[in-house]
Amino acid sequence: FAYSHRNLFGRNQKLNISLERGQIDSIFRINYTDPWIEGDDKRTSRTIIIQNSRTPGTLVHGNQHDNSSLSIGRVTAGIEFSRPLRPKWSGTAGLIFQHAGARDEKGNPIIKDFYGSPLTASGKPYDDMLVAKFECVYTGSGDQGSSVFAFNMEQGLPVMPEWLFFNRVNARARKGVEIGPARLLLSLSGGKVVGSFSPHEAFAIGGTNSVRGYEEGAVGSGRSYVVGSSEVSFPMVEPLQCDEHVSEQGSASVQQESSSTIRVLPAALLGPVEGVIFADYGHDLWSGPSVPGDPAGARYKPGSGYGYGFGIRVDSPLGPLRLEYAFNDRQAKRFHF
C-alpha cells in the first residue's frame, strides 16, 4: 500500500506513506520532503523520516543450524538536510534515532543466535542509538560510466549511558573510461567502524553488488572492509528505432489523414544490450574476529575472496537489468540477477 501527495500545501512539498509486507520483510514508512526550505538561498532541502522495518539478518548471521532464521527489527526516526555544495557536489547532514534488535521466526526478541553469539551490543533485547550523519557526494555527468565519489560518516552520540557510542566511516568511488566502443569501469569501496556497535551492523562482503560468485554476505562480516571491482562492457545490440510513416492517397490524403497514417512509437522498442566481463575482490582486513561474537568465524566465512564472470545488461522499460554468471575462488558458480 502506498499513498503520496506531491504538492503538499501548494509548495511542491511531498508526503509519502507506504506499507510493504513479505514473508520475512516488512516496512512501514512515512517520508516528508521539502525540496527547498522557504527563504533559504542555498537551496537546502529537508526530509523527515519515520520508519518501522523488519529485514532478514542473514547478511551477517546467516541461517541458524536448525534451518530457522532471524530478522532485525528497527524503529527509526530522523531528520536530514541536503544542499548543493558546489557544481557536481552535494552534502547531507542529519540526526537519526534507532531502536533495533533481533527476533526469531515467531517475532520474539532474542539476544543470542544458535552459536551463542550476541545479537546486540548492550546484551539487552534492543540497542538504542542516536546517530549524527554526514555525507558528501560527487557526481560527474550522471551517465552510467561517469565518475562518482561518496563519503559517509556516522557518529553515535551517547546522550544516555546505555546508548551506543561508535564512529563509522564508509567511502566509495567509481571511474569510467571509454576504450573505443567498449567502456572500462573501476570501482572501490571501503569502510571502518570503531566503538560499540550492534553485530548485525557489521560490514557484509559478498553478493550481487559486492563480490559476485558468492551469496550475500558469504565472504565475511567485519569492522572493516575493502571491495574492488573492474568490468569491461561492450555493445551487443543497438536500440531498434521506428519512425512515423504517412502514406498519401492522392487528393484525398488530407481528408483521409487519420485513416491513412501508420503510427509506431518512435521510442526504442528495445534499449541497448551490452555484454560485460567482470572481476571482484573483497577483504575484511582481518577484522571479522573483532565483531562481538565473531559471527563470521562461527560460520567459517573466509574473510576474503574473489569472483569473476560475464553477463549482459539491458536498458528496459522497467529500468536497467543485469544478468550475470560468476565463478568464485572456491570453484562455486552462481547466477546474479
Side-chain angles (χ1 to χ4, degrees):
F1 166 82
Y3 166 81
S4 64
H5 195 306
R6 299 178 179 275
N7 192 22
L8 202 63
F9 310 122
R11 296 181 178 273
N12 200 33
Q13 299 174 13
K14 297 173 176 59
L15 175 67
N16 295 284
I17 302 174
S18 62
L19 173 64
E20 301 177 20
R21 185 73 174 91
Q23 290 179 298
I24 299 177
D25 300 56
S26 66
I27 180 170
F28 173 71
R29 181 181 178 93
I30 301 175
N31 185 301
Y32 161 77
T33 300
D34 185 348
W36 192 335
I37 299 175
E38 185 178 7
D40 180 76
D41 61 352
K42 303 296 184 182
R43 293 193 293 156
T44 303
S45 68
R46 175 179 55 212
T47 300
I48 299 174
I49 303 170
I50 300 174
Q51 180 174 295
N52 187 349
S53 65
R54 183 178 177 184
T55 57
T58 54
L59 280 180
V60 173
H61 294 280
N63 289 322
Q64 305 302 287
H65 241 5
D66 54 0
N67 289 325
S68 63
S69 61
L70 59 87
S71 59
I72 308 299
R74 296 180 177 90
V75 177
T76 305
I79 183 169
E80 295 182 352
F81 297 90
S82 301
R83 52 158 291 196
L85 300 178
R86 53 183 303 178
K88 300 183 179 182
W89 287 89
S90 63
T92 299
L95 195 63
I96 301 170
F97 175 80
Q98 181 173 283
H99 176 77
R103 303 178 185 179
D104 61 17
E105 289 184 320
K106 297 180 180 179
N108 301 315
I110 52 177
I111 60 174
K112 291 186 178 182
D113 64 10
F114 182 87
Y115 298 91
S117 300
L119 296 171
T120 59
S122 62
K124 301 177 181 179
Y126 290 92
D127 287 328
D128 292 325
M129 64 193 83
L130 181 65
V131 180
K133 170 187 173 181
F134 171 75
E135 184 176 43
C136 184
V137 178
Y138 168 85
T139 305
S141 63
D143 297 335
Q144 182 180 3
S146 63
S147 300
V148 174
F149 173 77
F151 174 81
N152 177 284
M153 181 175 68
E154 297 177 343
Q155 176 65 55
L157 306 176
V159 177
M160 302 293 288
E162 65 272 17
W163 290 6
L164 302 187
F165 180 45
F166 65 92
N167 179 269
R168 177 199 297 264
V169 294
N170 194 20
R172 63 185 187 276
R174 186 184 71 193
K175 175 67 175 177
V177 180
E178 300 290 340
I179 307 176
R183 182 175 63 245
L184 172 64
L185 189 64
L186 302 173
S187 62
L188 181 67
S189 61
K192 183 176 181 62
V193 57
V194 296
S196 177
F197 74 108
S198 304
H200 56 78
E201 297 285 358
F203 294 111
I205 310 170
T208 301
N209 296 307
S210 180
V211 180
R212 286 161 283 191
Y214 280 91
E215 293 185 20
E216 302 295 324
V219 173
S221 309
R223 282 181 176 263
S224 306
Y225 87 103
V226 62
V227 171
S229 175
S230 64
E231 59 182 47
V232 176
S233 59
F234 46 89
M236 295 178 64
V237 178
E238 291 299 322
L240 175 62
Q241 298 286 347
C242 298
D243 299 324
E244 292 183 351
H245 296 281
V246 179
S247 61
E248 296 184 0
Q249 297 182 352
S251 60
S253 62
V254 177
Q255 292 83 359
Q256 301 291 332
E257 183 177 5
S258 61
S259 61
S260 63
T261 301
I262 303 172
R263 297 188 180 275
V264 183
L265 289 176
L269 299 181
L270 178 65
V273 178
E274 293 184 333
V276 62
I277 302 172
F278 61 84
D280 307 322
Y281 177 77
H283 202 295
D284 67 1
L285 302 178
W286 305 279
S287 64
S290 64
V291 176
D294 189 13
R299 290 158 181 81
Y300 302 104
K301 296 184 181 181
S304 66
Y306 64 84
Y308 57 93
F310 57 89
I312 59 172
R313 309 282 169 83
V314 181
D315 188 8
S316 79
L318 299 176
L321 301 180
R322 296 164 45 189
L323 176 61
E324 297 160 340
Y325 189 57
F327 308 83
N328 67 25
D329 52 326
R330 300 201 161 200
Q331 288 76 51
K333 309 175 185 65
R334 189 172 183 84
F335 273 109
H336 296 274
F337 177 72

